[in-house]
Short mmCIF file of all heavy atoms in Angstrom, two decimals:
data_model
loop_
_atom_site.label_atom_id
_atom_site.label_comp_id
_atom_site.label_asym_id
_atom_site.label_seq_id
_atom_site.Cartn_x
_atom_site.Cartn_y
_atom_site.Cartn_z
N VAL A 670 -29.91 23.72 -22.47
CA VAL A 670 -30.01 22.43 -21.78
C VAL A 670 -29.29 22.56 -20.44
O VAL A 670 -28.08 22.76 -20.38
CB VAL A 670 -29.39 21.29 -22.61
CG1 VAL A 670 -29.55 19.96 -21.88
CG2 VAL A 670 -30.04 21.22 -23.99
N LYS A 671 -30.06 22.48 -19.37
CA LYS A 671 -29.50 22.63 -18.02
C LYS A 671 -28.67 21.40 -17.65
O LYS A 671 -29.09 20.26 -17.86
CB LYS A 671 -30.63 22.83 -17.01
CG LYS A 671 -31.44 24.11 -17.21
CD LYS A 671 -30.58 25.33 -16.96
CE LYS A 671 -31.36 26.62 -17.05
NZ LYS A 671 -30.52 27.81 -16.79
N GLY A 672 -27.50 21.65 -17.08
CA GLY A 672 -26.66 20.58 -16.59
C GLY A 672 -26.18 19.61 -17.66
O GLY A 672 -25.94 18.43 -17.38
N ALA A 673 -26.01 20.11 -18.88
CA ALA A 673 -25.60 19.23 -19.99
C ALA A 673 -24.15 18.79 -19.87
O ALA A 673 -23.78 17.73 -20.37
CB ALA A 673 -25.83 19.93 -21.32
N ALA A 674 -23.31 19.60 -19.24
CA ALA A 674 -21.88 19.29 -19.13
C ALA A 674 -21.53 19.03 -17.67
O ALA A 674 -22.02 19.73 -16.77
CB ALA A 674 -21.03 20.43 -19.68
N ALA A 675 -20.69 18.05 -17.42
CA ALA A 675 -20.28 17.70 -16.05
C ALA A 675 -19.37 18.78 -15.47
O ALA A 675 -18.69 19.52 -16.20
CB ALA A 675 -19.57 16.35 -16.05
N GLN A 676 -19.34 18.86 -14.14
CA GLN A 676 -18.56 19.90 -13.47
C GLN A 676 -17.05 19.64 -13.53
O GLN A 676 -16.25 20.56 -13.59
CB GLN A 676 -19.01 20.02 -12.02
CG GLN A 676 -18.40 21.20 -11.27
CD GLN A 676 -18.81 22.55 -11.86
OE1 GLN A 676 -19.96 22.75 -12.22
NE2 GLN A 676 -17.85 23.46 -11.96
N ARG A 677 -16.64 18.37 -13.49
CA ARG A 677 -15.20 18.06 -13.44
C ARG A 677 -14.42 18.66 -14.60
O ARG A 677 -13.38 19.31 -14.38
CB ARG A 677 -14.98 16.55 -13.36
CG ARG A 677 -13.50 16.16 -13.31
CD ARG A 677 -13.30 14.66 -13.44
NE ARG A 677 -13.89 14.12 -14.66
CZ ARG A 677 -13.32 14.20 -15.87
NH1 ARG A 677 -12.15 14.81 -16.01
NH2 ARG A 677 -13.91 13.69 -16.93
N PRO A 678 -14.86 18.48 -15.87
CA PRO A 678 -14.10 19.10 -16.96
C PRO A 678 -14.07 20.62 -16.87
O PRO A 678 -13.06 21.25 -17.26
CB PRO A 678 -14.84 18.64 -18.22
CG PRO A 678 -15.61 17.43 -17.80
CD PRO A 678 -15.96 17.65 -16.38
N ILE A 679 -15.12 21.21 -16.34
CA ILE A 679 -15.15 22.66 -16.18
C ILE A 679 -14.12 23.10 -15.15
O ILE A 679 -13.35 24.05 -15.38
CB ILE A 679 -16.56 23.14 -15.78
CG1 ILE A 679 -17.55 22.87 -16.91
CG2 ILE A 679 -16.56 24.62 -15.40
CD1 ILE A 679 -19.00 23.10 -16.55
N ASP A 680 -14.08 22.40 -14.02
CA ASP A 680 -13.10 22.73 -12.97
C ASP A 680 -11.67 22.57 -13.50
O ASP A 680 -10.80 23.40 -13.20
CB ASP A 680 -13.31 21.83 -11.76
CG ASP A 680 -14.60 22.14 -11.01
OD1 ASP A 680 -15.17 23.23 -11.23
OD2 ASP A 680 -15.06 21.27 -10.24
N GLU A 681 -11.43 21.51 -14.26
CA GLU A 681 -10.10 21.28 -14.80
C GLU A 681 -9.70 22.38 -15.78
O GLU A 681 -8.56 22.86 -15.77
CB GLU A 681 -10.03 19.91 -15.47
CG GLU A 681 -10.11 18.75 -14.49
CD GLU A 681 -10.12 17.40 -15.17
OE1 GLU A 681 -10.24 17.36 -16.42
OE2 GLU A 681 -10.02 16.37 -14.47
N LEU A 682 -10.65 22.79 -16.63
CA LEU A 682 -10.34 23.86 -17.59
C LEU A 682 -10.07 25.17 -16.87
O LEU A 682 -9.10 25.87 -17.20
CB LEU A 682 -11.50 24.02 -18.58
CG LEU A 682 -11.33 25.15 -19.59
CD1 LEU A 682 -10.11 24.92 -20.48
CD2 LEU A 682 -12.59 25.31 -20.45
N MET A 683 -10.88 25.51 -15.88
CA MET A 683 -10.67 26.78 -15.18
C MET A 683 -9.38 26.75 -14.37
O MET A 683 -8.72 27.79 -14.20
CB MET A 683 -11.87 27.09 -14.29
CG MET A 683 -13.16 27.34 -15.08
SD MET A 683 -12.96 28.58 -16.39
CE MET A 683 -12.61 30.04 -15.43
N GLY A 684 -8.99 25.58 -13.87
CA GLY A 684 -7.69 25.47 -13.22
C GLY A 684 -6.55 25.74 -14.19
O GLY A 684 -5.56 26.40 -13.85
N PHE A 685 -6.70 25.25 -15.42
CA PHE A 685 -5.70 25.51 -16.45
C PHE A 685 -5.67 27.00 -16.81
O PHE A 685 -4.59 27.59 -16.97
CB PHE A 685 -6.00 24.69 -17.70
CG PHE A 685 -5.19 25.10 -18.90
CD1 PHE A 685 -3.84 24.78 -18.99
CD2 PHE A 685 -5.78 25.83 -19.92
CE1 PHE A 685 -3.09 25.20 -20.08
CE2 PHE A 685 -5.03 26.25 -21.02
CZ PHE A 685 -3.67 25.92 -21.10
N VAL A 686 -6.84 27.62 -16.94
CA VAL A 686 -6.90 29.05 -17.26
C VAL A 686 -6.18 29.87 -16.18
O VAL A 686 -5.41 30.79 -16.49
CB VAL A 686 -8.36 29.52 -17.41
CG1 VAL A 686 -8.45 31.04 -17.54
CG2 VAL A 686 -9.01 28.85 -18.63
N ALA A 687 -6.40 29.52 -14.92
CA ALA A 687 -5.70 30.21 -13.83
C ALA A 687 -4.19 30.02 -13.96
O ALA A 687 -3.41 30.95 -13.72
CB ALA A 687 -6.21 29.70 -12.48
N HIS A 688 -3.77 28.83 -14.35
CA HIS A 688 -2.34 28.54 -14.55
C HIS A 688 -1.75 29.46 -15.63
O HIS A 688 -0.66 30.03 -15.45
CB HIS A 688 -2.17 27.07 -14.94
CG HIS A 688 -0.81 26.73 -15.47
ND1 HIS A 688 0.31 26.67 -14.67
CD2 HIS A 688 -0.40 26.43 -16.74
CE1 HIS A 688 1.36 26.35 -15.42
NE2 HIS A 688 0.96 26.20 -16.67
N VAL A 689 -2.46 29.62 -16.75
CA VAL A 689 -1.95 30.47 -17.84
C VAL A 689 -1.88 31.92 -17.40
O VAL A 689 -0.91 32.64 -17.71
CB VAL A 689 -2.83 30.31 -19.10
CG1 VAL A 689 -2.39 31.28 -20.19
CG2 VAL A 689 -2.78 28.88 -19.61
N ILE A 690 -2.89 32.39 -16.66
CA ILE A 690 -2.86 33.77 -16.17
C ILE A 690 -1.67 33.96 -15.23
O ILE A 690 -0.99 34.99 -15.27
CB ILE A 690 -4.18 34.12 -15.46
CG1 ILE A 690 -5.34 34.06 -16.46
CG2 ILE A 690 -4.11 35.51 -14.83
CD1 ILE A 690 -6.72 34.17 -15.82
N ARG A 691 -1.38 32.96 -14.40
CA ARG A 691 -0.22 33.06 -13.50
C ARG A 691 1.09 33.11 -14.28
O ARG A 691 2.04 33.82 -13.88
CB ARG A 691 -0.19 31.88 -12.54
CG ARG A 691 -1.23 31.95 -11.43
CD ARG A 691 -0.96 30.90 -10.35
NE ARG A 691 -1.96 30.99 -9.30
CZ ARG A 691 -3.07 30.25 -9.27
NH1 ARG A 691 -3.29 29.36 -10.23
NH2 ARG A 691 -3.93 30.39 -8.28
N LEU A 692 1.18 32.35 -15.37
CA LEU A 692 2.40 32.38 -16.18
C LEU A 692 2.71 33.80 -16.65
O LEU A 692 3.89 34.19 -16.75
CB LEU A 692 2.25 31.47 -17.40
CG LEU A 692 2.24 29.96 -17.15
CD1 LEU A 692 2.03 29.22 -18.47
CD2 LEU A 692 3.54 29.50 -16.48
N GLU A 693 1.66 34.56 -16.94
CA GLU A 693 1.87 35.93 -17.46
C GLU A 693 1.92 36.97 -16.36
O GLU A 693 2.66 37.94 -16.46
CB GLU A 693 0.76 36.27 -18.46
CG GLU A 693 0.93 37.60 -19.17
CD GLU A 693 2.17 37.67 -20.06
OE1 GLU A 693 2.85 36.64 -20.26
OE2 GLU A 693 2.49 38.77 -20.54
N SER A 694 1.11 36.80 -15.32
CA SER A 694 1.01 37.82 -14.28
C SER A 694 2.04 37.66 -13.17
O SER A 694 2.38 38.64 -12.49
CB SER A 694 -0.38 37.79 -13.65
OG SER A 694 -0.58 36.59 -12.92
N GLY A 695 2.51 36.43 -12.95
CA GLY A 695 3.40 36.18 -11.84
C GLY A 695 2.69 36.09 -10.50
O GLY A 695 3.33 35.96 -9.45
N SER A 696 1.36 36.12 -10.51
CA SER A 696 0.59 36.12 -9.27
C SER A 696 0.68 34.76 -8.58
O SER A 696 0.71 33.71 -9.23
CB SER A 696 -0.87 36.44 -9.56
OG SER A 696 -1.65 36.32 -8.38
N ILE A 697 0.70 34.80 -7.24
CA ILE A 697 0.65 33.57 -6.44
C ILE A 697 -0.64 33.54 -5.62
O ILE A 697 -0.76 32.75 -4.68
CB ILE A 697 1.88 33.44 -5.53
CG1 ILE A 697 2.00 34.64 -4.59
CG2 ILE A 697 3.15 33.27 -6.37
CD1 ILE A 697 3.09 34.51 -3.54
N GLU A 698 -1.59 34.38 -5.97
CA GLU A 698 -2.85 34.44 -5.23
C GLU A 698 -3.73 33.24 -5.58
O GLU A 698 -3.49 32.52 -6.56
CB GLU A 698 -3.57 35.75 -5.56
CG GLU A 698 -2.83 36.99 -5.12
CD GLU A 698 -3.62 38.26 -5.36
OE1 GLU A 698 -4.70 38.40 -4.76
OE2 GLU A 698 -3.16 39.09 -6.17
N PRO A 699 -4.79 33.01 -4.79
CA PRO A 699 -5.71 31.89 -5.06
C PRO A 699 -6.41 32.05 -6.41
O PRO A 699 -6.48 33.16 -6.97
CB PRO A 699 -6.71 31.96 -3.90
CG PRO A 699 -6.00 32.72 -2.83
CD PRO A 699 -5.10 33.69 -3.53
N ASP A 700 -6.94 30.94 -6.92
CA ASP A 700 -7.58 30.94 -8.24
C ASP A 700 -8.66 32.01 -8.37
O ASP A 700 -8.76 32.67 -9.41
CB ASP A 700 -8.20 29.57 -8.53
CG ASP A 700 -7.17 28.54 -8.93
OD1 ASP A 700 -5.96 28.85 -8.90
OD2 ASP A 700 -7.57 27.41 -9.29
N GLU A 701 -9.49 32.17 -7.35
CA GLU A 701 -10.60 33.14 -7.43
C GLU A 701 -10.08 34.54 -7.74
O GLU A 701 -10.63 35.25 -8.58
CB GLU A 701 -11.39 33.13 -6.12
CG GLU A 701 -12.56 34.10 -6.08
CD GLU A 701 -13.69 33.74 -7.02
OE1 GLU A 701 -13.78 32.57 -7.44
OE2 GLU A 701 -14.50 34.64 -7.34
N ALA A 702 -9.02 34.94 -7.08
CA ALA A 702 -8.44 36.26 -7.33
C ALA A 702 -7.78 36.32 -8.70
O ALA A 702 -7.91 37.31 -9.44
CB ALA A 702 -7.43 36.61 -6.24
N VAL A 703 -7.07 35.26 -9.07
CA VAL A 703 -6.36 35.23 -10.35
C VAL A 703 -7.34 35.31 -11.51
O VAL A 703 -7.12 36.04 -12.49
CB VAL A 703 -5.50 33.95 -10.46
CG1 VAL A 703 -4.97 33.76 -11.87
CG2 VAL A 703 -4.33 34.03 -9.48
N LEU A 704 -8.43 34.57 -11.43
CA LEU A 704 -9.41 34.52 -12.52
C LEU A 704 -10.23 35.79 -12.64
O LEU A 704 -10.88 36.00 -13.67
CB LEU A 704 -10.35 33.32 -12.32
CG LEU A 704 -9.72 31.94 -12.50
CD1 LEU A 704 -10.65 30.85 -11.98
CD2 LEU A 704 -9.36 31.69 -13.96
N ASN A 705 -10.20 36.62 -11.63
CA ASN A 705 -11.00 37.84 -11.66
C ASN A 705 -10.12 39.08 -11.54
O ASN A 705 -9.68 39.63 -12.54
CB ASN A 705 -12.07 37.77 -10.56
CG ASN A 705 -13.13 36.72 -10.87
OD1 ASN A 705 -14.00 36.94 -11.71
ND2 ASN A 705 -13.07 35.57 -10.21
N ARG A 706 -9.80 39.52 -10.34
CA ARG A 706 -9.11 40.78 -10.17
C ARG A 706 -7.76 40.82 -10.87
O ARG A 706 -7.41 41.82 -11.53
CB ARG A 706 -8.93 41.09 -8.68
CG ARG A 706 -8.19 42.41 -8.42
CD ARG A 706 -8.03 42.67 -6.93
NE ARG A 706 -7.52 41.52 -6.21
CZ ARG A 706 -6.23 41.16 -6.22
NH1 ARG A 706 -5.34 41.85 -6.94
NH2 ARG A 706 -5.82 40.12 -5.52
N VAL A 707 -6.97 39.76 -10.76
CA VAL A 707 -5.63 39.75 -11.37
C VAL A 707 -5.74 39.89 -12.89
O VAL A 707 -5.01 40.68 -13.50
CB VAL A 707 -4.86 38.47 -10.99
CG1 VAL A 707 -3.57 38.36 -11.80
CG2 VAL A 707 -4.55 38.48 -9.49
N LEU A 708 -6.66 39.14 -13.51
CA LEU A 708 -6.82 39.24 -14.96
C LEU A 708 -7.33 40.62 -15.37
O LEU A 708 -6.87 41.20 -16.36
CB LEU A 708 -7.76 38.16 -15.47
CG LEU A 708 -8.03 38.20 -16.98
CD1 LEU A 708 -6.74 37.99 -17.78
CD2 LEU A 708 -9.08 37.18 -17.39
N VAL A 709 -8.28 41.16 -14.62
CA VAL A 709 -8.81 42.49 -14.93
C VAL A 709 -7.69 43.52 -14.91
O VAL A 709 -7.53 44.33 -15.84
CB VAL A 709 -9.93 42.88 -13.94
CG1 VAL A 709 -10.32 44.35 -14.12
CG2 VAL A 709 -11.15 41.99 -14.14
N ASP A 710 -6.89 43.51 -13.85
CA ASP A 710 -5.79 44.48 -13.74
C ASP A 710 -4.77 44.28 -14.87
O ASP A 710 -4.27 45.26 -15.44
CB ASP A 710 -5.09 44.32 -12.38
CG ASP A 710 -5.96 44.76 -11.21
OD1 ASP A 710 -6.98 45.44 -11.46
OD2 ASP A 710 -5.63 44.42 -10.06
N LEU A 711 -4.48 43.03 -15.20
CA LEU A 711 -3.49 42.75 -16.24
C LEU A 711 -3.99 43.20 -17.60
O LEU A 711 -3.24 43.82 -18.38
CB LEU A 711 -3.18 41.26 -16.26
CG LEU A 711 -2.09 40.80 -17.23
CD1 LEU A 711 -0.75 41.42 -16.85
CD2 LEU A 711 -1.99 39.28 -17.24
N LYS A 712 -5.25 42.94 -17.91
CA LYS A 712 -5.79 43.32 -19.22
C LYS A 712 -5.81 44.84 -19.38
O LYS A 712 -5.55 45.36 -20.46
CB LYS A 712 -7.20 42.77 -19.40
CG LYS A 712 -7.80 43.03 -20.77
CD LYS A 712 -9.13 42.32 -20.94
CE LYS A 712 -9.80 42.67 -22.27
NZ LYS A 712 -9.06 42.18 -23.43
#
């Protein structure tokens, strides 16, 4: 089902995910880097 979920809850969840990754990585980079390169390197 296309567009079944609104964007706002998705943005809020991904902001939280970036927050958790920062808690562990110590990164202060923007969300895009934290959610991708920073997590890849950390894992």
